[in-house]
């Protein structure tokens, strides 16, 4: 089932993340293998609605999570919609197929006390001479204090930081830009990192060609960061201060938004800071705040017990 043009469309026209494109590619490959094995169907135009329904039923029987099944169906729907728009086929086998419902899960967060212990453990920026220790401090502080996505953090360039006005230019989903404010603590980290940053190896000709010399964050080899690098660093530091099960960069983003709403921040302002396209996505954090209030009520009110 050939989907090369469709995947290129997702990357270059729709500007979806590499992670999303890879997931869609895997879903289409999996569905194509199923159609070949079960129905001896090789061509996308030969797929029927019954085949799609049969595959989804198999996924349910295998115990796949509803979120996983929803994404796989979304990949198929997007693929066949793309084919229809380009006149590659008239019938769409994914129409009128219901999407599995997913229960709303509250986002995982790290308690404020744990995060305070995390940042208190870093040395004073003015006294450290270790650039990569300082960079770790700056990365974690940025994720928690601005709510950046991991991909947004990796994409940051040195020229995106305006120290004078304490503003950060961020390129989010769909290549949309937003400006984020930051405080004096982050400004000090930015300034110190700028002075300690090592020069790239003189014999590394790839750096200037790829633009990595302008990357805000670099690996020990002077290269642009990659997703696993950021994940491993965040997990390492969070493992030292919290017993929360999830310890990913996105947990710091959730913590940023949750702590803002708990502190009384306007939901529309939180939406703008997070770079959400609609308020619906941000409203998840009001549910988190409600759960906290419910627990306080249950413990404190004489009639609050279950």
């Amino acid at each position: 089932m050939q989907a090369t043009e469709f995947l290129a469309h997702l990357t270059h026209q729709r500007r979806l993340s590499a992670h999303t494109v890879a997931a869609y590619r895997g879903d289409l490959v999996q569905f194509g293998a199923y159609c070949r094995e079960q129905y001896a169907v090789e061509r996308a135009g030969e797929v029927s609605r019954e085949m799609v329904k049969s595959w989804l039923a198999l996924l349910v029987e295998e115990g796949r999570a509803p979120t996983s099944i929803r994404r796989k169906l979304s990949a198929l729907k997007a693929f066949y919609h793309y084919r229809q728009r380009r006149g590659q086929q008239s019938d769409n086998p994914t129409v009128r197929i219901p999407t599995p419902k997913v229960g709303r899960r509250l986002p995982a967060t790290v308690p404020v006390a744990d995060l305070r212990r995390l940042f208190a453990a870093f040395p004073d920026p003015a006294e450290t001479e270790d650039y990569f220790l300082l960079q770790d401090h700056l990365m974690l502080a940025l994720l928690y204090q601005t709510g950046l996505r991991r991909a947004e953090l990796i994409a940051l360039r040195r020229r995106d930081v305006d120290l004078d006005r304490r503003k950060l230019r961020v390129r989010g989903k769909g290549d949309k830009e937003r400006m984020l404010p930051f405080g004096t603590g982050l400004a000090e980290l930015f300034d110190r990192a700028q002075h300690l940053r090592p020069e790239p190896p003189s014999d590394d000709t790839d750096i200037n060609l790829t633009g990595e010399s302008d990357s805000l964050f670099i690996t020990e080899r002077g290269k642009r960061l990659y997703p696993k690098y950021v994940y491993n660093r965040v997990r390492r530091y969070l493992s030292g201060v919290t017993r929360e099960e999830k310890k990913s960069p996105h947990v710091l983003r959730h913590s940023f938004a949750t702590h803002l709403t708990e502190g009384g921040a306007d939901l529309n302002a939180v939406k703008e800071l997070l770079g959400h396209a609609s308020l619906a996505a941000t409203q998840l954090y009001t549910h988190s705040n409600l759960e906290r209030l419910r627990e306080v009520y249950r413990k404190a009110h004489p009639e609050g017990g279950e």
Side-chain angles (χ1 to χ4, degrees):
M1 189 172 294
Q2 189 60 253
T4 304
E5 290 182 3
F6 167 66
L7 295 170
H9 167 75
L10 296 182
T11 300
H12 301 297
Q13 273 69 53
R14 293 188 56 188
R15 296 183 179 275
L16 298 187
S17 70
H19 176 78
T20 300
V21 174
Y24 274 33
R25 178 184 293 109
D27 295 335
L28 294 174
V29 167
Q30 184 184 13
F31 178 65
Y34 174 81
C35 290
R36 284 193 301 273
E37 294 168 6
Q38 298 297 320
Y39 300 99
V41 166
E42 296 277 352
R43 298 170 63 85
E46 298 173 351
V47 170
S48 68
R49 186 164 176 265
E50 286 67 31
M51 294 176 193
V52 176
K53 291 171 64 178
S54 175
W55 182 55
L56 295 177
L58 176 64
L59 295 175
V60 172
E61 290 176 9
E62 291 177 346
R64 299 295 184 96
T67 50
S68 175
I69 298 175
R70 282 175 66 94
R71 192 204 64 224
K72 293 176 185 298
L73 181 56
S74 293
L76 283 185
K77 285 179 178 288
F79 175 58
Y80 278 102
H81 179 66
Y82 173 85
R83 286 178 58 82
Q84 271 194 312
R85 285 200 311 168
R86 278 154 182 75
Q88 295 171 350
Q89 69 180 76
S90 56
D91 296 330
N92 185 338
T94 66
V95 296
R96 296 190 305 278
I97 292 182
T99 304
K101 293 183 178 180
V102 179
R104 182 179 287 268
R105 292 186 300 175
L106 295 180
T109 61
V110 180
V112 173
D114 290 345
L115 289 170
R116 284 177 175 161
R117 288 195 295 119
L118 166 65
F119 292 112
F122 282 105
D124 185 332
E127 298 178 2
T128 185
E129 297 295 328
D130 185 336
Y131 171 77
F132 289 102
L133 178 60
L134 185 70
Q135 177 173 271
D136 287 347
H137 187 178
L138 178 57
M139 279 197 307
L140 271 78
L142 259 179
L143 289 167
Y144 175 56
Q145 293 185 36
T146 67
L148 290 179
R149 301 177 178 95
R150 178 173 58 180
E152 293 171 345
L153 179 91
I154 292 172
L156 286 175
R157 302 159 300 185
R158 287 194 278 183
R159 62 178 180 270
D160 291 328
V161 182
D162 185 338
L163 279 179
D164 293 332
R165 294 186 292 175
R166 297 212 299 267
K167 290 184 179 181
L168 184 69
R169 180 186 292 107
V170 178
R171 296 182 303 284
K173 289 186 176 181
D175 215 25
K176 294 180 180 178
E177 285 193 358
R178 66 186 189 277
M179 297 296 292
L180 299 179
F182 57 84
T184 56
L186 271 178
E188 292 173 6
L189 282 169
F190 277 127
D191 185 57
R192 183 61 175 161
Q194 190 176 47
H195 286 88
L196 288 181
R197 183 185 175 100
E199 291 298 321
S202 58
D203 60 345
D204 195 340
T205 57
D206 290 338
I207 288 183
N208 288 331
L209 293 176
T210 60
E212 289 178 349
S213 60
D214 190 42
S215 295
L216 181 61
F217 296 107
I218 56 174
T219 68
E220 287 77 359
R221 296 183 60 190
K223 301 292 187 179
R224 184 190 298 275
L225 297 191
Y226 49 91
K228 192 66 175 178
Y229 182 100
V230 179
Y231 174 83
N232 286 340
R233 304 306 287 175
V234 171
R235 183 171 182 82
R236 172 191 165 189
Y237 283 103
L238 289 184
S239 295
V241 297
T242 184
R243 294 185 178 181
E244 298 295 322
E245 183 178 351
K246 292 189 176 181
K247 303 178 181 70
S248 67
H250 216 67
V251 168
L252 290 176
R253 176 173 163 88
H254 287 323
S255 301
F256 163 80
T258 299
H259 297 163
L260 276 177
T261 57
E262 287 180 352
D266 176 74
L267 201 60
N268 279 298
V270 177
K271 167 185 170 293
E272 295 301 318
L273 291 170
L274 291 173
H276 283 161
S278 70
L279 195 60
T282 317
Q283 286 173 335
L284 174 64
Y285 299 103
T286 64
H287 291 280
S288 177
N289 197 26
L290 180 60
E291 288 301 312
R292 182 185 66 85
L293 294 175
R294 182 177 287 118
E295 182 64 14
V296 170
Y297 170 76
R298 187 185 67 78
K299 290 181 178 180
H301 196 279
E303 299 297 329
E306 296 178 354

